[in-house]
Amino acid sequence: MIKARTAKFQIGQIVRHRIFSFRGVIFDIDPVFNNTEEWWLSIPEEVRPNKDQPFYHLLAENSESEYVAYVSEQNLLPDESGEPIRHSQVAEIFVKDKSGGYRPRNSSLN
């Protein structure tokens, strides 16, 4: 049985991947893995994360592109750069606050 854990990060928080060079803003959180088995099995077994942890949906970016990423909590770190996210969908989902952080436009988001 999979036991859900409390999420370490929150919606609107900017995070970065601990291995790959991309960062993003969290727009949704799954308490445990909630993607397809095909997606799960596409991750090499030696780096495949456990399913019983929060997984985060990110408006992600790297130096070449912008995309949506689905990342396990164990692979994320807080982004301390202070740089804004340039992803084209950020303004659709978030409002930038006075501190430079992001808060959801629609308060009914998780």
Side-chain angles (χ1 to χ4, degrees):
M1 180 162 184
I2 292 178
K3 182 180 178 203
R5 297 192 314 224
T6 302
K8 180 178 176 181
F9 304 108
Q10 59 190 332
I11 290 176
Q13 187 171 357
I14 299 173
V15 291
R16 64 182 175 86
H17 197 281
R18 71 176 181 88
I19 298 169
F20 302 112
S21 65
F22 71 85
R23 58 196 287 272
V25 60
I26 298 168
F27 70 89
D28 197 11
I29 304 168
D30 293 335
V32 294
F33 178 77
N34 190 24
N35 205 329
T36 66
E37 195 65 18
E38 179 181 53
W39 185 92
W40 181 256
L41 294 172
S42 73
I43 302 168
E45 192 172 350
E46 63 276 6
V47 295
R48 195 176 297 153
N50 292 328
K51 291 182 177 181
D52 66 341
Q53 62 182 309
F55 275 73
Y56 299 83
H57 299 262
L58 309 177
L59 295 179
E61 61 190 35
N62 60 29
S63 59
E64 293 95 40
S65 65
E66 301 171 356
Y67 50 96
V68 172
Y70 190 64
V71 185
S72 64
E73 185 170 272
Q74 75 185 57
N75 284 320
L76 291 176
L77 298 168
D79 181 88
E80 308 285 338
S81 71
E83 296 291 319
I85 298 294
R86 70 173 193 277
H87 195 288
S88 61
Q89 290 179 286
V90 167
E92 293 174 33
I93 299 173
F94 295 102
V95 174
K96 200 164 187 179
D97 63 26
K98 291 177 182 158
S99 68
Y102 296 96
R103 60 183 173 78
R105 249 181 214 290
N106 180 349
S107 60
S108 70
L109 290 175
N110 298 359

